[in-house]
Amino acid sequence: MSLAYLAAKTHGLVDEAEAIREAAGIDEADIVGLPSVESATLLQPTTAAHCYAELDWPLLHVAKGIFDSKFSLGDKGADGARPGKPRVADLTAAVADIDLLGDEAEDEGGWGIDDDGELDAELAAEATAAAESAAAAGFMPPQPGLSELELWSRNSRLAVDQIAAGNFERAMKLLRDQAGISSLDALKPAFLEIYTASRSVLTTAPFAEASRIPLRRNASDATEASQFLPVRLFSLASSLDQLEQGYRATTAAKFDEALALFRRLLLSLIFVAVETNEDARELKRVVKVCREYVIGISIELERAAVAKDEATEENLTRLVELAAYFTHCGLRADHEKLTLRLAMNTAYKHKCFRAAGGLAQRLADLLPEQTVAGNRSAQQIRDKALTMVSTCDLKSRDSLPIDYDARNPLVVCAASHTPILGGEATVNCSYCQAPYKPEFEGELCRVCTIAQIGAQATGLRSLD
């Protein structure tokens, strides 16, 4: 026996139980042993206490048009639509009832209707009086307002706020104009994360649509709609924490991990908004740091790959050059000392004494005697550097034809990892300002992977 029959029988729904039994094809005499449940309670939805149509809401009254009356084929009166008759016939009949061509009405004089215009004037006067009375009472019908997302889009000129408002096209245009961003593939996850994090989802009743609540970053301070702004997902404080993670990975020589950390941070800095000019300057400094570390670590990874190749003169020359170029990236002081120690040892090992002497002198300059006093490890590094300077001054030659002179100021091309000497032509990434040789203009930046080399840009805006 089906559960539906037992439920209907238990709750006294005789008609429903009989219908279920007949549908199942079971005789009533065959049904035996039904349990007797006297305390069963039938659960039904509660009856509405009020009819919503009778509530005194300020509803907007919209006049019905021609398509709401004669051309509405869904309502044919109490009898419903005429079955078997095509909708085209219904439309034809409806059109036939309307005087679309403005023909003169037939003579209605026999009805005794006096159409002298006095009634029309009286009705018009009453309508005018009613309208004036409503205006005097100060009643204004409700007007649709702006959504929170539209207010965000209007109140901010930052790309990150446009993303939070769902205005992706405007955000992309701002990024192209301000930072020369030409590839958004790497930014897609951040776009979706920012958009999702700017609102909360509140579920109410089962099967009801969830409410999406916009989250404001200035909910306690904003009093006017023109001040509403979305919550921030990326901040300068969290960016500085990620920067420290990159520093630690670099100190531990985890170069693959460090490269991923600095590059991810460089991409997230696009979406950081700040409140003061001091924070804006700090944000630019972090962008520069990330750029220098990405270039430097890329050089070191190439050097490590060359070191595994066959020890030909070409490879050994490139090995010494890359170690020397690494020292010209703007790294933190402790990391710069590590690169100088690595470079001077590499150069000395391959008998490039002039380059090794110059690198050792730079290391000694970073460790002045008054600062290393009492620090045995630092003193030993300084003494070794000074000894190498003395030794290399006596030999003063390079056994390999390396393209490096420590006396000339240089920057390293982020694509070819070759030197760009002072006074030589250079082009820069429109976002991170990584330097490149002119032949790479128009290509995608190797550092940030999103901006075009040499593109014209106004500068990324982080302060609204």
Side-chain angles (χ1 to χ4, degrees), residues 5 16-26:
Y5 177 81
E16 288 79 355
E18 287 299 316
I20 295 171
R21 182 187 61 77
E22 292 176 0
I26 300 174

Side-chain angles (χ1 to χ4, degrees), residues 127-155:
T128 302
E132 293 176 352
S133 176
F139 171 75
M140 292 294 293
Q143 299 295 325
L146 298 176
S147 67
E148 182 88 7
L149 303 185
E150 192 168 351
L151 289 173
W152 290 351
S153 182
R154 291 189 176 194
N155 295 342

